Amino acid sequence: MSTPKRWHVVAAAAALLVTGTPAVVASAGPSGTAAGRPDHSEWAGSWATAVTRGNSVGLTNTGLNNQSVRMVVHVSVGGPALRVRLSNLYGEQAVAVGRATVARPNTATADDLSDIDPASLRPLTFTGAASATMNRGAELLSDPLAFPVADDSDLVVTVHFPTPTGPTTFHGQSQQANFIGAGDLTGAAEGSGFTTRPTCCWFFLSGIDVQRKASPGALVVLSDSIGDGNGSTVNANRRWPDLLSDRLLAARPDARTPGVLNLSLAGNRLNHEGTEPGDGNYPGYYQLGPNAAARLNEDVFPQTGVRTVVTHLGINDIWMSNDSAEAIIATLRQINQQVQQRGLTSLVATLTPYEGHGAPGVWTAQKEATRQAVNTYLRGSREFDGLLDFDRVLRDPARPSALLPAYDSVPTPVDTGGYFEHTTHAVARDFRSMRMS
């Protein structure tokens, strides 16, 4: 039997905690949902992504002009209706949306990512109109659409931007091929007109909600490249939050399954801005996002039906910025307080080992001591509602500063926010070794 990848270890550990703690998926949230009314339909987040400002150069800075973008997303939970959220949060001007559509991919064709099933194609409307304008800094919510969505499935959203957008609001590490073409291609069944095919980005698209019965809401993962899936297989949906969703669906294959929303940003830090440079000659980029505490009101709390937040951040503050354990712990505690103050369940994860990855100076004995100090605090704290001890599962017992070789892939240099390639392997029996509190 083949060994599962490292993502499976992390997802399994998270699923054990989530399914083993009923309050995580059923605790009352700010929406006032009553899970005991089976005939009550409500909205819950099924897919979401964190967005940032366009970078200082390239397509994300110049923007789009009379072009269509076709974007593939993998939803966590399904329902009989959906609505789509677009975001111009970081734009410098109002952005016109010409038309927008949603469809299912056509898996029968050779190009099953950009081709759509024409029978499934539906137009999106915005307060009854086919076109709309996103004000600067604003979100645009589509009208509800009767469109059956299956659990653990792909959707294709196509948006036409008829006039220059200026710098985009985008997510830079999609690990998913997306497509750009000239003119209005929102109704095109074939993807041949989409001549630019980046594997990097979702443009202006920030979320998809589905209508569900007696929904327990959604779980948000607030993380960095580890949650964003840097180095995982493109188009395979092997980020650990994707696998967490799979495991929750297997454990609760009905309306009791929470949506899983991956609000991770590769390179994100607790206490620093994405543009701040880091050790190892790391230059910094807008796409790494603002500091995590500043992201709560933009990326976490507005999510539809959020009930639980998993925070896994701090390793980039160590290797990039050489922050102290005290500085990292203080911000983790502040995030926890704000999450709990909103009536949400707050879970935290230990920081994983990384010795042997990155340029000289990225890992040092001093930085390792900081990581250990943060993890020691998290294991002893009772402030959080639960702990996911990723470090204990993944470390090499003979060298705790490094990943166990069975879980590690070929070491790679530090690149766009990730400090190691996340395609590592694990053994199923290690799922049970996870310490959780």
Side-chain angles (χ1 to χ4, degrees), residues 255-311:
R256 295 176 299 149
T257 310
V260 175
L261 307 180
N262 189 354
L263 278 298
S264 303
L265 277 176
N268 196 233
R269 285 171 275 183
L270 290 165
N271 298 318
H272 301 274
E273 303 307 300
T275 51
E276 292 183 40
D279 287 354
N281 297 316
Y282 196 80
Y285 302 94
Y286 280 113
Q287 74 183 57
L288 308 188
N291 71 83
R295 293 176 56 204
L296 293 176
N297 287 330
E298 305 295 348
D299 292 340
V300 177
F301 298 145
Q303 297 303 322
T304 305
V306 58
R307 300 288 192 277
T308 301
V309 179
V310 178
T311 303

Side-chain angles (χ1 to χ4, degrees), residues 9-250:
V9 174
V10 176
L16 284 171
L17 183 54
V18 171
T19 57
T21 309
V24 170
V25 294
S27 60
S31 64
T33 298
R37 291 181 287 175
D39 294 329
H40 179 66
S41 294
E42 58 193 282
W43 291 99
S46 182
W47 176 88
T49 193
V51 293
T52 66
R53 183 195 185 281
N55 287 316
S56 57
V57 296
L59 174 62
T60 63
N61 182 264
T62 57
L64 304 162
N65 182 13
N66 191 24
Q67 292 171 292
S68 295
V69 183
R70 177 159 286 177
M71 295 167 284
V72 181
V73 301
H74 188 74
V75 301
S76 55
V77 293
L82 61 76
R83 61 189 184 191
V84 174
R85 287 182 285 122
L86 303 176
S87 175
N88 190 28
L89 179 63
Y90 292 96
E92 296 182 356
Q93 63 187 55
V95 171
V97 174
R99 286 206 312 159
T101 59
V102 64
R104 299 183 186 91
N106 188 349
T107 57
T109 67
D111 191 355
D112 63 357
L113 292 174
S114 63
D115 292 353
I116 60 172
D117 175 6
S120 70
L121 182 68
R122 297 289 186 276
L124 295 171
T125 59
F126 307 91
T127 55
S131 60
T133 297
M134 288 190 288
N135 290 339
R136 179 179 178 177
E139 181 179 80
L140 183 64
L141 181 67
S142 80
D143 299 328
L145 175 67
F147 188 101
V149 178
D151 294 340
D152 193 30
S153 64
D154 290 339
L155 293 176
V156 182
V157 177
T158 309
V159 185
H160 176 229
F161 298 97
T163 57
T165 65
T168 65
T169 293
F170 84 117
H171 182 89
Q173 288 293 329
S174 63
Q175 300 301 113
Q176 173 67 57
N178 293 298
F179 312 93
I180 303 172
D184 183 357
L185 300 175
T186 54
E190 294 185 358
S192 56
F194 294 91
T195 54
T196 301
R197 303 190 164 207
T199 59
C200 70
C201 313
W202 288 298
F203 295 96
F204 297 104
L205 181 64
S206 61
I208 294 179
D209 301 334
V210 296
Q211 199 170 48
R212 311 186 71 205
K213 286 187 177 181
S215 171
L219 177 152
V220 165
V221 175
L222 181 66
S223 183
D224 45 35
S225 61
I226 302 174
D228 220 1
N230 285 37
S232 65
T233 305
V234 174
N235 301 327
N237 302 307
R238 291 179 180 170
R239 313 162 193 87
W240 78 256
D242 295 322
L243 301 180
L244 170 61
S245 176
D246 293 343
R247 298 184 75 89
L248 292 174
L249 285 166

Side-chain angles (χ1 to χ4, degrees), residues 415-434:
D415 53 16
T416 54
Y419 58 87
F420 56 88
E421 183 176 311
H422 304 299
T423 52
T424 51
H425 292 74
V427 182
R429 60 181 169 80
D430 290 308
F431 294 169
R432 300 181 181 87
S433 70
M434 182 76 168

